[in-house]
Amino acid sequence: LLLTADRTALVREATHGLQQRDPAERIPVGQGVAGTVAATGRPMVLASPAGNGAAEPAATSQASVPLLAQGRVLGVLSLYDREDGEPFTLADAEALTAFAVQAAVAIENVRLHAEAERLSVTDPLTGAWNYRYFERRFEQEIERSRRFGRVLTLLMLDVDHFKSVNDRFGHQRGDEVLVEFAGRVTGSVRDIDTFARYGGEEFVLILPETNLEGGLAVAEKLRRATHRQPFCGDGDGGGVRLTVSIGLACFPEHATSPGELLRAADEALYEAKLQGRDRVVTAGPRLLPLHARPGQVKGRAARVE
């Protein structure tokens, strides 16, 4: 059983040989034998059927030892009832502890690797996916949509006049605004959607299985959520008031490759800026050039804050 992130409970991760006696999914820290071991970091041996807590399998004998990595409890390893019918002993607990040390190191290595992988594809400021992850995921979603004849919508979002936030309130407040903006978006989309920071105050959102109408509904929802309530406010009318411009493009209506669809959404965003910002603009149906014009960077002729 491994500790939850908040270290308040043990969660069952793997069992063997218990059949119908599996422990509960969660055991609060401090309750029962396993919960006590997690709380104290010390092995325990139950040598008689006195009861080990309602959350654990009934057993006449039990040995539970902590999974320790660098002195920190990761979880608990428990054995119930020896095959020979004899009660567990302190010697058994010592042998189990030696094994648990190796197991804990392996678990910690897996966790560190997973965390390193997560950090490599996560924007460190906002917690959204970074461009590296977006690029990989975008190609996968386009390929899946092409293979199964499905639709997909891409949104490009740019916080309007963001430079003025840094100029007026400082870069720290600007960072706080971006973090809150990312939080508002992620709290408004589905788990299957992919929200990533494209760069600076610009973000992208992949909406699988979403047509033009559905994409427009999501974009308008996000636009309203941005200007409805000030950012970093104290609840008394303070904070930073902002708007967002959004460009929208659909596969395969506006483009049939990742690069073309990204460029179509980017040019739609540029048009939203030109039209006055705080609006959603849809890419034209194949009217936009599918190759970069001279002097463009990623399909945009000029930068508009």
Side-chain angles (χ1 to χ4, degrees):
L1 304 105
L2 297 182
L3 281 170
T4 55
D6 60 7
R7 304 182 65 80
T8 61
L10 290 165
V11 176
R12 175 161 54 90
E13 294 291 345
T15 60
H16 176 73
L18 292 178
Q19 299 176 349
Q20 302 302 316
R21 300 191 301 162
D22 286 356
E25 290 289 344
R26 294 173 66 91
I27 298 176
V29 170
Q31 293 188 19
V33 175
T36 301
V37 171
T40 63
R42 294 193 296 269
M44 286 186 66
V45 174
L46 180 69
S48 63
N52 55 6
E56 296 185 72
T60 58
S61 183
Q62 176 181 344
S64 293
V65 299
L67 292 163
L68 293 168
Q70 298 180 354
R72 187 168 182 264
V73 177
L74 302 180
V76 175
L77 176 62
S78 294
L79 297 185
Y80 306 91
D81 292 332
R82 284 176 42 157
E83 289 186 356
D84 60 10
E86 295 295 320
F88 284 109
T89 65
L90 292 178
D92 293 327
E94 290 178 1
L96 189 60
T97 297
F99 173 75
V101 168
Q102 300 178 51
V105 170
I107 291 170
E108 182 71 355
N109 286 341
V110 169
R111 284 183 163 182
L112 290 174
H113 178 76
E115 178 65 8
E117 174 63 20
R118 185 190 68 82
L119 291 174
S120 73
V121 294
T122 304
D123 175 54
L125 174 64
T126 63
W129 298 115
N130 61 18
Y131 181 77
R132 173 188 176 188
Y133 181 85
F134 160 74
E135 197 171 33
R136 183 173 66 194
R137 185 69 176 176
F138 191 36
E139 291 182 357
Q140 292 172 346
E141 290 291 353
I142 290 289
E143 178 57 30
R144 189 184 68 83
S145 296
R146 181 184 293 115
R147 180 177 301 176
F148 297 106
R150 312 300 294 177
V151 294
L152 175 148
T153 293
L154 176 68
L155 304 183
M156 292 198 72
L157 308 90
D158 193 298
V159 179
D160 297 324
H161 299 298
F162 183 74
K163 184 177 182 298
S164 65
V165 176
N166 287 331
D167 292 342
R168 292 175 56 197
F169 303 101
H171 287 274
Q172 181 176 346
R173 177 58 62 88
D175 288 347
E176 293 171 355
V177 165
L178 291 179
V179 171
E180 185 174 337
F181 176 77
R184 290 190 192 185
V185 174
T186 54
S188 302
V189 298
R190 306 167 298 179
D191 290 340
I192 65 170
D193 301 329
T194 300
F195 178 64
R197 190 179 183 188
Y198 191 70
E201 67 275 17
E202 199 167 46
F203 297 83
V204 283
L205 178 62
I206 306 171
L207 303 172
E209 306 286 338
T210 304
N211 59 16
L212 177 60
E213 182 180 1
L216 284 171
V218 172
E220 185 60 24
K221 177 183 177 181
L222 296 178
R223 187 189 69 82
R224 292 196 302 267
T226 301
H227 70 65
R228 179 183 300 123
Q229 182 177 351
F231 288 79
C232 304
D234 54 10
D236 297 323
V240 183
R241 291 196 171 275
L242 292 170
T243 60
V244 64
S245 297
I246 303 175
L248 180 153
C250 296
F251 172 93
E253 182 175 347
H254 300 126
T256 56
S257 74
E260 291 173 357
L261 192 65
L262 183 61
R263 188 174 301 116
D266 191 40
E267 294 204 3
L269 172 61
Y270 178 56
E271 183 62 28
K273 294 284 190 178
L274 291 179
Q275 291 184 17
R277 304 176 178 84
D278 189 22
R279 67 195 62 224
V280 179
V281 171
T282 302
R286 301 281 180 158
L287 297 179
L288 293 176
L290 298 185
H291 60 280
R293 294 192 296 270
Q296 278 189 310
V297 178
K298 295 178 181 175
R300 183 173 300 172
R303 180 72 180 176
V304 180
E305 294 293 343

